[in-house]
Each structure stands twice: as C-alpha cells, then as structure tokens.
Amino acid sequence: MKDSKAILAVAKKTIESESASIHNLGTLLNEEFSDAVNCILESKGRVIVSGIGKSAIIASKIVATLNSTGTPSIFMHAGDAIHGDLGTIQENDVVICISKSGSTPEIKMLIPLIKRGTNKLIAMTGNTESYLANEADFVLNTYVEKEACPNNLAPTTSTTAQLVMGDALAICLLKLKGFSSKDFAKYHPGGSLGKRLYLRVSDIVATNQKPQVHIDAEVKKVIVEISEKMLGVTAVTDGNEIVGIVTDGDIRRMLNKYDNISGLTAKDIMSKNPKTISVDVLAIEALELMQEKGISQLLGVDGKKYMGVVHLHNLINEGIL
C-alpha cells in the first residue's frame, strides 16, 4: 500500500495549484466579459456552447447550468458540428466556443462556418492570441500558467478555469434576469432542491391517511385509530375543530399511569393545544417547525378545519431533509 502522507500531499498540492489559478482568473476579467453577458442577455435566440475533447465535457456542463438558471442553451460538439450538426445553430443564437489553445483543427474548421452567418461568437480560451480569439466578437480569458498534472499535459486546471468562467456567466445572467427561487423550482420539479421551493403541506397531507377520533371516543378506539393509520398519532376533534392530539407517547404514559384503562376516553389522555400548520405553506416550513419544537408530526389545518397529518418521515421520503 502506498504511503498515505504522500498521497495526501499530492492531493493538497493539486487543490492549491488549481485554487491559485482560479483566484488569478478574476484578474483576467475585463469589459469583454460584460459585453458578452449583455450580448447573451439581449439575444432573442439560444446559447450554443461548443468544444472538443475535455472542453466539450465542460461545454456540456455549462449548458446544463445555463438551462437550469433560465438561459436556454444547447450543447454542440465541435467535431460533430463539421459533420452535420452545424444546423443546430439558428439565426439569433449566440455561440460560445471553448478551447484552451484556441487553435485545434476542429475549431479552425468550425469558426469560418459560424462566421458565415450573423451569429455572435464568444471565445473562451487560455490563448488570447489564438485563431479563435482573433475571430471572436468577445473573448473570455481562461489562461492558466500550468496544469495541475505534473507533466503539464492532462487538462486539469484549465478545464476548472473554463467551468468557473461558465458559472460566472450563468450567475451574472441569472441576476440580470431576476431569476428567482420560484423560477428555479419550475426548472427542477423532480429534485429535492425544487421540492423545497414548491412542495406544500397540502401535497403531503393528501397522500396520508387521516387519523381522527371524537373527544369522547373510548381509549380502545383511539389505539386502533393510531395503529391503523400508521402515523403514530391521531387528532382529537369535536366536529371539524381540533381540540387535542394523542400520540404513541401519550398511550405509553397512560399505560404507566393507569392500571385500569376501562372507561377512559380521548379527552382523558390527549394533549391540548397541539402544534398545527396551515396546509397552504411550504413543506420546508413544516420541517423547520418540527425541528424547532422537537416533534415528528404536525396537524395540517385549513383555517380551523382539520385536514390531516404531516410526518417527519414524509419529509425525509420527499428529500426535504
């Protein structure tokens, strides 16, 4: 087995090297970055992001980030573009080409084809004197002194710089468009992040059974209700209004307190003034209230009307926690 200290030393050196290069990236920003952002902002088309090799992988990630933050984007592999995929680019689209050297054969073939139209071209390159940079309308400088690779060959620091520059573009556009958390939820309806922004207590209550007993219900009926509805709790109601709650814990305390439970009713063992939450609020607010009060269930209400139970396990299953 290799020496652990040596491995950690290499890892630390790699991180420090890339960190220093990213810090330097901020000093390379200029008016062309602002112009490129405004160009995309004012465009009536999409953003087409292209690259070759490792830069193509970064281009794909940048497209994903732009799409998820409100800027419609499409990935176009530079190699495929010159073999039929050039039709991806429409009249009003803005094209971003990513290349560390800015002079790879595929890029040199692609650029003249793009320039035949009216599309604006943004270069993201580490060589501002390259063919790509000279032909572009705007240049985003992603120069790095050297790769983290000890042979200075494998794209490491350079691709990290490209990724960070793409994030900077996306976040600037997000800010300028006023892209909100509600907008984010629309683009991420299936993920846990999105659920935090749109899932409501009503959505959860609707999927659960609705444990409920009358205030005068016998204890046996209370126990059966809690057991059958499998939420560890039942609301105690008088009409449609909640007057109390009985939990698994209340049942255990009752058994410890009374030798004979015959004749006891829900009213005798319930806890008054249970914690409730409006079914109209976000589920994340239910989680925050549970954490604050140290409880695992809340009774959902619509005004004073009892609607059902939201359980901590529901929130965990939805990925809220």
Side-chain angles (χ1 to χ4, degrees):
M1 183 176 291
K2 300 296 182 182
D3 180 59
S4 176
K5 288 185 178 180
I7 293 171
L8 293 175
V10 172
K12 184 176 181 180
K13 184 177 180 180
T14 301
I15 293 170
E16 289 175 345
S17 174
E18 295 209 5
S19 177
S21 293
I22 297 308
H23 183 266
N24 184 62
L25 198 61
T27 68
L28 303 179
L29 292 174
N30 54 29
E31 291 293 327
E32 289 201 57
F33 180 88
S34 301
D35 292 341
V37 170
N38 282 319
C39 175
I40 296 172
L41 191 65
E42 294 168 4
S43 170
K44 295 181 181 179
R46 308 154 303 174
V47 178
I48 311 298
V49 190
S50 187
I52 195 79
K54 302 299 187 296
S55 293
I57 297 172
I58 298 301
S60 183
K61 165 56 172 67
I62 291 174
V63 163
T65 302
L66 288 170
N67 279 325
S68 69
T69 52
T71 300
S73 306
I74 294 179
F75 168 68
M76 181 183 72
H77 194 281
D80 293 336
I82 58 179
H83 293 287
D85 282 2
L86 196 63
T88 300
I89 305 174
Q90 301 298 305
E91 183 179 356
N92 294 314
D93 293 341
V94 176
V95 182
I96 300 176
C97 277
I98 306 176
S99 173
K100 178 186 177 182
S101 69
S103 299
T104 57
E106 293 85 356
I107 293 297
K108 283 187 172 182
M109 291 181 66
L110 176 61
I111 299 309
L113 300 176
I114 295 173
K115 297 290 286 184
R116 288 187 310 186
T118 59
N119 305 92
K120 293 294 184 180
L121 175 62
I122 300 172
M124 187 183 294
T125 180
N127 182 1
T128 57
E129 301 299 324
S130 64
Y131 175 78
L132 172 60
N134 288 329
E135 293 295 317
D137 296 289
F138 312 103
V139 179
L140 308 181
N141 190 353
T142 53
Y143 170 78
V144 296
E145 185 176 348
K146 62 179 181 179
E147 301 287 1
C149 167
N151 299 315
N152 197 29
L153 294 174
T156 46
T157 307
S158 60
T159 48
T160 302
Q162 293 167 355
L163 188 63
V164 170
M165 187 65 77
D167 286 344
L169 271 178
I171 299 306
C172 285
L173 290 164
L174 177 152
K175 289 280 190 180
L176 291 169
K177 291 183 176 185
F179 191 83
S180 68
S181 59
K182 290 183 179 180
D183 296 315
F184 186 87
K186 288 192 296 184
Y187 289 92
H188 299 75
S192 59
L193 292 176
K195 286 184 178 181
R196 284 173 167 259
L197 299 170
Y198 81 84
L199 190 69
R200 297 190 178 275
V201 172
S202 57
D203 299 319
I204 293 176
V205 166
T207 64
N208 285 335
Q209 298 189 71
K210 186 181 177 182
Q212 180 177 354
V213 295
H214 188 268
I215 189 172
D216 295 324
E218 295 181 355
V219 163
K220 180 179 178 180
K221 180 174 176 57
V222 175
I223 295 173
V224 169
E225 184 72 359
I226 293 175
S227 177
E228 288 184 347
K229 300 300 170 62
M230 298 183 294
L231 289 167
V233 65
T234 183
V236 181
T237 58
D238 189 358
N240 286 325
E241 188 172 340
I242 298 170
V243 294
I245 188 172
V246 179
T247 66
D248 284 336
D250 291 321
I251 298 297
R252 289 193 296 272
R253 284 185 286 273
M254 175 196 69
L255 293 174
N256 284 329
K257 183 177 180 180
Y258 297 99
D259 292 327
N260 182 7
I261 64 173
S262 177
L264 292 177
T265 65
K267 182 179 180 180
D268 298 318
I269 63 172
M270 72 181 188
S271 299
K272 297 180 180 180
N273 303 315
K275 297 296 182 293
T276 62
I277 190 165
S278 170
V279 292
D280 291 331
V281 306
L282 293 173
I284 186 66
E285 294 183 39
L287 174 61
E288 291 168 352
L289 182 56
M290 287 182 192
Q291 291 175 328
E292 177 188 343
K293 301 299 183 182
I295 56 179
S296 57
Q297 305 108 335
L298 288 168
L299 302 183
V301 294
D302 182 2
K304 290 186 177 181
K305 183 179 180 181
Y306 170 57
M307 302 301 291
V309 175
V310 55
H311 196 287
L312 180 62
H313 290 163
N314 298 138
L315 303 177
I316 293 172
N317 290 338
E318 292 289 349
I320 301 295
L321 181 60

